[in-house]
Amino acid sequence: MTETESSSVLSVRDLMVHYPTDEGVVKALDGVSLDIQPGQTLGVVGESGCGKSTIGRAILRILDKPGQIVGGEILWNDPEKGSGSRPVDLTAQEPNGPEMRAIRGGDIALVFQEPMTSFSPIHTIGNQMSEAITLHQDKTAAEAKEWSMELMNMVGIPNPPQRFDEYSYQLSGGLRQRAMIAMAISCGPKLLIADEPTTALDVTTQAQILDLLRGLQEKNNMAIMLITHNLGVIAEMADEVVVMYLGRAVESGPVDDIFHQAKHPYSRGLLESIPSVLASGRERLPSIAGSIPHPFNRPSGCTFRPRCPSFIPGTCDVNVPQYLALGGGQQKVSCFLHHSPSGVEEVSSHD
Amino acid sequence: MIDSIPAMDGTILEVRNLTKHFPIKRGLLKRTVGAVKAVDDVSFNLKQGETLGLVGESGCGKTTTSRCILRAVDPTSGEIMFRTADGHEVNVATLPNREMRPLRREMQMIFQDPFSSLNSRMSLLDIVGEPLLVHGMTNRDERQERVAELLRLVGLRPEYMQRYPHAFSGGERQRIGIARALALHPRLVVADEPVSALDVSVQAQVINLLMDLQEEFELTYLFVAHDLSVVKQISDRVAVMYVGKIVELADTAELFTKPRHPYSEALLAAVPVADPRLHRKDRKLLEGEVANPANPPSGCYFHPRCPYAQDVCRTETPVLSEVSPGHFASCHRVQDLELTGIVQVDGEST
Amino acid sequence: MIAFLVRRTLLAGLTTFVISIVAFLAIQLPPGDYATTYVENLLGGSFFNTASALGDQATEDQIRRDLGLDRPVFIQYSKWAWRVVHLDFGISIEHGRKITEIVGQRLVNTVLLALGTILFTWVLAVPIGIYSAVKHNTAGDYAVTFLGFLGLAVPDFLLALGLMWIGFAYFDLSVGGLYSPEYLDAAWSFGRAVDLLKHLWIPAIVLGTAGTAGLIRILRNNLLDELAKPYVVAARARGLPEWKLVLKYPVRMALNPFISTIGYLLPFLLSGSVIVSVVLSLPTLGPVLLRSLTNQDLFLAAAIVLMLGVLTVIGTLISDILLVIFDPRIRLD
């Protein structure tokens, strides 16, 4: 076990998630590894089909049918149990068993994209919040209500006694997402998985929500796994970043390295192609050629090869690049420009 | 108010005091008890070949404004003067539906959702060829040729003409939507969030395509979007809307670097920037929520959230006025405020 | 909320008024009128063979004058409506008795049978539908689906005959009718109610089978849609046990559409139950309606149609109110 692994609150090792369908198997995750440190934010970035949402659900063991974990480990290392305790492999748990249910919503909480549809429209906000609290904590209904309102206060929802008895559609998008976050932190999770938490929100509300998450993290020393396609959000929030493409991590490292010394051609292309308010005005954007392949048409070798400007014939289409650290640093990349097909590290000339 | 500009300088569209109210009905007899002022006295103009970006948060009325211009929604009042290809000026706001039809060739729309805006039971040939057929191109071979030309134009292979939308990715479908919009040689294209449903790597391709097409055909775009970075990329001028009103309108570079309305400043501050070194974490954030357009605050609609609000802002409604040539803002304190925009100093910024 | 209730109630009143007009006009449609039919009936009827009624034109005109049938249609309607409001539907031509007497007990029976059938349908279909959706595409789901299709496909009357035979041959039950002979004309008592329940289950099963099968299918599909919604995933991510989660959230949502169908069940069951009622000799309205229509006993037919219409309107009103109670989105709109 490496040093990062032993200190991680969560360690995902070579995780594979498959969706068998009538037309074939969709490899939503094809050997992903990542680590989350306590109290830090790991940004997981990628475009549609890269499997970033699948990771969050696989960790909580709530994959949609017919998805199943077919390989790898998810090691949960409860920070409160001390360094001597052995991590729990979540893939070995029964998805609906009592251990997994205690972790879900208790130790690991989830916030996701649609604050509108994430609440049942026919139950009050308070009903759903209290439910989460009484489920994991030894509290009476009255205590749960009190705690719910305190949480609402904490996340900036005005007038909690009124909101407690309201329904989700009576709240604005921003307030709904605040309520979702209040519910997620209600049982003091050590890891919050935020899956596109601000994608459906306006930019000023997004800024408020990100600010709230940052504040809560500081206060509760909670790790956050922030899943998003928005590189701006990642840049503002993350300590570490994982870039994903078609079910694999192609690059990872400290946020500054990823944004200023990206090594993988996909990470570089992604960073160049996003429009920026800093741009000097109306101009053409560099763009990544082609489009994301259909899940049934995964290219051989490196899956990014058909769109890659640095494609090396005979290498990239034949071998699968390994995901290895660069020169002993914290940055990892999976690309033949940086590693030889044998897996031995090559001296990189791209710095 | 924006002065009426004579059509000689290439103005293709002039919107004057456009208003759209949606009635609120309540009670036993469903009586109208109020109105959602979705669009509230909006004026602007568009010159041939330019792109005007229309930005604002959800519910600000940007989409309703664009729908009024295409008469997908009937405006409550105001004028929408459109200069047709043969030099006539018509008021789209009051035109009977029958007379709207020939105009629809000249004004086209590109939609947000490339998945639901294409009929999945129609082949590409039928989707792109439909407007041609509707406007009288009945010869099938002729139509096929034109569709092939259009598909090539938007970067799709004409061989795919017989395929159905489900065979294409989001970016490709948006290209199909663009080809369809271009089929009748429009002069004005209203694009409502055309890239917000697309993946980041594909967004850039579609924005580039729209810019290329504009150059080639001298298209005029009204580009409605919530993403300020996208708007900056494509727009010559930008109008910022808040609760149904335009609060600021200026050249893109000027609006982004020297905003004159506190709301524009707040919007710019809220945009996340893809550079962790900027340390924008301690920036000022706008508090509260967008005002309810059914029951807007008194005075300036923005005053409850405005960090600079004074007594006058609570009582008097500001007027959109020209604060420097071509730069309009609607703020009582426009003369004494120093607002911060995006400042670019060797890749660094505030 | 109150405005909603008032509006719905007013609407229900208006609908009832329209139904009454349609029912009245239906009486007027066939050639001839009550007088002609009455006189014809007197002529043909053996026990009404009195000399004074020997069917001459004068008698017919006399009846017509007496009953006001020579007056304009809207006056006739108002008079008829006035009587109907006072629960006087007139006299059945065929039976020669007051319509309220003929219909009264049968109406009660019909409503009881409908309620029994609904109860049977829901008690059986809801758990099976939930099971089928939660375990979709498993052997259990397929088995239930197969039985469901079987239930849809077997004609009611065949099922009725089968059950009658089984009940009679193996359990020695008297399976016809709704009451045992000793309770047939008795007043309501505890014993009579128990007796009714003993008889009610067979027709309830017969009438409810097809409905149950349909309800299972619809509930399964509704629930499958709901199970995929984010709020279910969110509840699961909270650590809620699966069965608790399913019952509290998606099932509640999936049942809502059914509440709105309560109002339509009555006429549906009535028209569907005619053959079964004949086979099982049930004293319900179905057979009477059928007879009255074939025999041109128009006042009787109109009365039944009107009563059913009113019951349907009431049922719809009840389901609207229930929906408002169960779905806050409607309540607070």
Side-chain angles (χ1 to χ4, degrees):
Chain A
M1 196 182 275
T2 68
E3 200 179 314
T4 50
E5 245 175 82
S6 60
S7 65
S8 309
V9 58
L10 187 89
S11 225
V12 175
R13 292 280 146 263
D14 302 313
L15 187 63
M16 316 227 321
V17 170
H18 286 184
Y19 284 85
T21 68
D22 291 342
E23 294 112 280
V25 174
V26 176
K27 296 178 177 172
L29 292 180
D30 194 23
V32 170
S33 300
L34 50 85
D35 290 281
I36 305 172
Q37 307 305 321
Q40 295 221 319
T41 299
L42 174 75
V44 179
V45 67
E47 301 177 278
S48 53
C50 76
K52 57 188 191 296
S53 290
T54 309
I55 293 189
R57 299 193 182 195
I59 292 171
L60 288 169
R61 303 298 310 277
I62 51 168
L63 288 168
D64 301 328
K65 285 178 186 169
Q68 46 190 260
I69 296 174
V70 294
E73 293 176 321
I74 302 168
L75 301 172
W76 170 244
N77 204 346
D78 192 335
E80 275 173 19
K81 287 198 178 149
S83 52
S85 72
R86 288 187 49 196
V88 184
D89 184 1
L90 300 186
T91 62
Q93 305 296 319
E94 195 58 44
N96 285 317
E99 298 88 5
M100 210 51 236
R101 277 194 279 114
I103 289 176
R104 255 197 321 259
D107 293 328
I108 308 177
L110 177 68
V111 167
F112 55 125
Q113 182 176 346
E114 301 93 356
M116 179 73 201
T117 48
S118 306
F119 282 104
S120 157
I122 54 174
H123 296 86
T124 61
I125 299 279
N127 176 333
Q128 292 169 77
M129 276 185 81
S130 310
E131 174 186 87
I133 295 165
T134 47
L135 207 58
H136 296 283
Q137 295 174 32
D138 198 13
K139 281 196 161 87
T140 63
E143 286 167 339
K145 180 171 182 178
E146 201 173 304
W147 179 227
S148 299
M149 296 203 280
E150 202 168 310
L151 285 163
M152 287 187 183
N153 236 339
M154 212 184 288
V155 299
I157 296 176
N159 198 358
Q162 183 197 332
R163 297 302 185 186
F164 189 87
D165 291 322
E166 285 190 342
Y167 296 90
S168 62
Y169 57 89
Q170 292 173 289
L171 270 57
S172 68
L175 283 185
R176 270 196 292 264
Q177 197 58 299
R178 282 175 196 272
M180 198 75 212
I181 291 170
M183 185 149 76
I185 61 162
S186 62
C187 301
K190 288 126 199 165
L191 171 64
L192 179 72
I193 300 175
D195 188 356
E196 303 272 10
T198 59
T199 304
L201 304 175
D202 279 316
V203 59
T204 57
T205 316
Q206 165 171 277
Q208 292 170 353
I209 295 291
L210 294 180
D211 214 43
L212 171 68
L213 285 175
R214 251 192 316 258
L216 290 170
Q217 177 173 41
E218 225 162 87
K219 207 158 121 193
N220 304 349
N221 193 32
M222 164 177 80
I224 296 180
M225 180 172 174
L226 179 67
I227 301 166
T228 177
H229 70 281
N230 189 326
L231 286 160
V233 170
I234 293 277
E236 294 198 357
M237 296 288 290
D239 300 296
E240 302 263 331
V241 180
V242 177
V243 182
M244 290 189 61
Y245 188 75
L246 280 193
R248 286 185 194 151
V250 295
E251 184 162 8
S252 67
V255 65
D256 196 77
D257 291 354
I258 298 297
F259 280 86
H260 289 281
Q261 299 173 52
K263 294 291 188 292
H264 197 283
Y266 176 64
S267 321
R268 287 164 168 266
L270 209 53
L271 282 162
E272 283 167 9
S273 66
I274 48 167
S276 166
V277 280
L278 300 181
S280 50
R282 199 180 142 99
E283 57 184 30
R284 277 187 71 90
L285 285 165
S287 62
I288 302 176
S291 53
I292 296 159
H294 193 273
F296 292 131
N297 293 327
R298 291 171 79 89
S300 63
C302 170
T303 49
F304 185 60
R305 131 183 99 73
R307 305 177 72 188
C308 185
S310 315
F311 168 58
I312 310 164
T315 301
C316 302
D317 48 350
V318 182
N319 305 301
V320 177
Q322 283 182 284
Y323 183 50
L324 297 169
L326 275 176
Q330 286 177 294
Q331 204 168 352
K332 280 183 171 182
V333 65
S334 152
C335 177
F336 291 123
L337 293 172
H338 306 282
H339 307 296
S340 74
S342 64
V344 180
E345 201 176 307
E346 279 180 354
V347 179
S348 168
S349 58
H350 286 266
D351 262 321
Chain B
M1 278 305 106
I2 300 170
D3 291 324
S4 173
I5 300 165
M8 303 309 290
D9 68 344
T11 299
I12 182 170
L13 183 81
E14 193 178 341
V15 176
R16 291 187 208 130
N17 311 102
L18 180 67
T19 300
K20 174 66 193 175
H21 292 180
F22 293 101
I24 306 168
K25 293 183 171 158
R26 284 257 168 74
L28 196 55
L29 302 170
K30 292 270 173 198
R31 244 192 311 227
T32 305
V33 292
V36 176
K37 295 175 180 172
V39 180
D40 192 3
D41 196 13
V42 160
S43 301
F44 62 86
N45 60 50
L46 265 173
K47 287 195 206 62
Q48 175 103 38
E50 79 163 340
T51 303
L52 176 69
L54 201 54
V55 297
E57 300 181 280
S58 44
C60 73
K62 54 188 194 299
T63 293
T64 311
T65 303
S66 70
R67 301 250 157 105
C68 284
I69 289 168
L70 291 172
R71 270 291 288 285
V73 167
D74 286 335
T76 306
S77 67
E79 289 174 359
I80 301 165
M81 305 306 293
F82 180 74
R83 181 155 285 266
T84 60
D86 51 17
H88 286 85
E89 197 166 62
V90 288
N91 184 358
V92 176
T94 55
L95 215 56
N97 267 326
R98 191 168 24 86
E99 289 171 48
M100 262 312 286
R101 241 186 102 184
L103 273 186
R104 297 210 185 270
R105 299 180 68 131
E106 302 192 30
M107 308 163 89
Q108 285 292 326
M109 176 125 192
I110 300 172
F111 297 92
Q112 168 175 9
D113 187 354
F115 294 90
S116 61
S117 58
L118 301 177
N119 184 337
S120 59
R121 290 196 187 82
M122 285 166 78
S123 68
L124 252 57
L125 173 61
D126 294 331
I127 290 171
V128 180
E130 190 184 41
L132 297 168
L133 185 64
V134 169
H135 283 90
M137 191 186 276
T138 44
N139 182 320
R140 194 175 163 82
D141 291 341
E142 208 181 315
R143 213 162 58 232
Q144 205 157 334
E145 207 168 293
R146 173 79 178 132
V147 170
E149 189 187 325
L150 285 161
L151 290 180
R152 261 193 299 269
L153 198 63
V154 297
L156 292 171
R157 299 166 74 165
E159 301 92 278
Y160 293 163
M161 197 184 286
Q162 300 296 345
R163 297 197 184 179
Y164 291 84
H166 64 81
F168 296 90
S169 70
E172 287 165 334
R173 284 185 220 203
Q174 199 54 293
R175 288 171 191 269
I176 298 167
I178 293 170
R180 181 189 157 96
L182 292 182
L184 296 167
H185 300 292
R187 293 165 61 240
L188 172 66
V189 174
V190 175
D192 188 1
E193 301 275 10
V195 299
S196 56
L198 303 179
D199 271 312
V200 182
S201 71
V202 180
Q203 255 187 19
Q205 297 172 1
V206 172
I207 295 173
N208 288 342
L209 171 66
L210 286 172
M211 286 165 72
D212 291 344
L213 291 170
Q214 178 168 44
E215 216 161 281
E216 193 169 342
F217 300 106
E218 221 196 305
L219 294 172
T220 310
Y221 288 143
L222 179 65
F223 194 92
V224 180
H226 70 281
D227 186 334
L228 286 159
S229 0
V230 169
V231 166
K232 181 164 192 191
Q233 214 67 46
I234 196 165
S235 307
D236 298 298
R237 292 188 300 145
V238 176
V240 180
M241 286 188 76
Y242 187 75
V243 196
K245 287 179 182 291
I246 290 184
V247 295
E248 186 165 4
L249 193 161
D251 281 348
T252 307
E254 186 157 321
L255 190 125
F256 277 74
T257 51
K258 288 185 211 103
R260 302 298 297 270
H261 194 284
Y263 180 62
S264 313
E265 181 190 44
L267 270 186
L268 289 170
V271 181
V273 175
D275 188 348
R277 289 184 187 168
L278 289 182
H279 298 299
R280 297 169 84 250
K281 291 175 187 174
D282 5 285
R283 65 187 187 263
K284 265 182 294 180
L285 286 183
L286 206 54
E287 285 182 6
E289 304 249 333
V290 174
N292 179 1
N295 184 21
S298 62
C300 172
Y301 290 176
F302 188 58
H303 88 252
R305 308 176 76 192
C306 183
Y308 312 106
Q310 292 179 332
D311 285 344
V312 60
C313 306
R314 285 178 261 278
T315 50
E316 272 171 55
T317 309
V319 178
L320 189 69
S321 56
E322 193 161 12
V323 290
S324 63
H327 196 149
F328 300 83
S330 138
C331 175
H332 291 302
R333 301 194 57 193
V334 72
Q335 294 307 336
D336 63 305
L337 286 179
E338 267 305 317
L339 301 177
T340 323
I342 301 285
V343 185
Q344 192 147 29
V345 191
D346 299 329
E348 296 286 323
S349 147
T350 50
Chain C
M1 174 73 181
I2 287 168
F4 170 86
L5 285 181
V6 173
R7 197 162 52 235
R8 278 301 153 99
T9 314
L10 288 177
L11 198 66
L14 187 71
T15 314
T16 311
F17 175 65
V18 173
I19 293 173
S20 74
I21 292 179
V22 171
F24 180 77
L25 288 181
I27 310 174
Q28 310 288 328
L29 276 181
D33 55 21
Y34 186 83
T36 355
T37 323
Y38 187 75
V39 171
E40 270 169 19
N41 214 46
L42 288 182
L43 279 175
S46 51
F47 44 84
F48 268 113
N49 205 354
T50 50
S52 66
L54 269 176
D56 57 344
Q57 191 59 38
T59 320
E60 209 179 301
D61 287 345
Q62 182 61 42
I63 293 168
R64 194 166 281 133
R65 256 193 311 280
D66 288 352
L67 293 177
L69 294 182
D70 49 350
R71 313 282 289 276
V73 176
F74 70 91
I75 291 178
Q76 288 187 46
Y77 169 76
S78 340
K79 286 195 159 178
W80 178 76
W82 182 251
R83 276 184 280 125
V84 164
V85 169
H86 294 88
L87 295 179
D88 174 9
F89 291 91
I91 289 167
S92 157
I93 298 166
E94 192 197 353
H95 304 271
R97 287 198 288 151
K98 288 187 89 177
I99 286 174
T100 34
E101 275 170 37
I102 302 167
V103 169
Q105 183 57 44
R106 283 175 177 260
L107 184 66
V108 174
N109 290 341
T110 306
V111 171
L112 287 175
L113 181 58
L115 289 177
T117 308
I118 292 171
L119 198 69
F120 167 78
T121 308
W122 282 57
V123 164
L124 202 62
V126 170
I128 295 179
I130 294 170
Y131 172 84
S132 199
V134 173
K135 305 261 173 200
H136 72 112
N137 294 346
T138 60
D141 176 30
Y142 293 142
V144 171
T145 305
F146 174 74
L147 285 177
F149 280 127
L150 210 61
L152 277 174
V154 175
D156 281 353
F157 66 90
L158 201 64
L159 193 63
L161 288 172
L163 277 176
M164 267 168 85
W165 179 69
I166 290 171
F168 196 71
Y170 294 93
F171 300 102
D172 199 23
L173 286 168
S174 94
V175 282
L178 280 177
Y179 304 96
S180 304
E182 62 267 35
Y183 286 114
L184 200 52
D185 290 316
W188 277 109
S189 64
F190 181 71
R192 194 176 192 240
V194 172
D195 184 59
L196 171 68
L197 285 180
K198 275 187 192 158
H199 285 83
L200 197 62
W201 66 273
I202 286 187
I205 290 177
V206 170
L207 290 172
T209 308
T212 307
L215 186 62
I216 291 173
R217 294 304 299 167
I218 301 169
L219 182 62
R220 177 182 181 273
N221 293 343
N222 281 358
L223 198 50
L224 277 180
D225 284 347
E226 291 297 327
L227 281 171
K229 298 241 170 104
Y231 70 89
V232 178
V233 182
R236 197 170 286 141
R238 250 174 264 154
L240 214 60
E242 193 68 16
W243 59 270
K244 208 169 162 185
L245 179 157
V246 169
L247 287 184
K248 180 171 174 186
Y249 297 108
V251 167
R252 265 290 310 276
M253 294 286 282
L255 283 179
N256 272 357
F258 292 106
I259 298 176
S260 57
T261 63
I262 293 174
Y264 318 132
L265 280 175
L266 197 64
F268 174 76
L269 283 172
L270 186 92
S271 52
S273 71
V274 174
I275 299 175
V276 176
S277 291
V278 171
V279 172
L280 289 172
S281 58
L282 301 177
T284 62
L285 278 179
V288 181
L289 176 61
L290 186 67
R291 273 258 298 279
S292 69
L293 288 172
T294 48
N295 294 349
Q296 281 209 15
D297 194 347
L298 293 167
F299 277 103
L300 182 57
I304 295 177
V305 166
L306 182 61
M307 285 176 202
L308 286 175
V310 170
L311 282 175
T312 308
V313 168
I314 292 173
T316 313
L317 190 65
I318 291 173
S319 58
D320 277 353
I321 292 169
L322 282 178
L323 260 187
V324 166
I325 291 169
F326 282 113
D327 197 332
R329 287 170 297 180
I330 301 173
R331 188 193 325 154
L332 298 162
D333 192 16

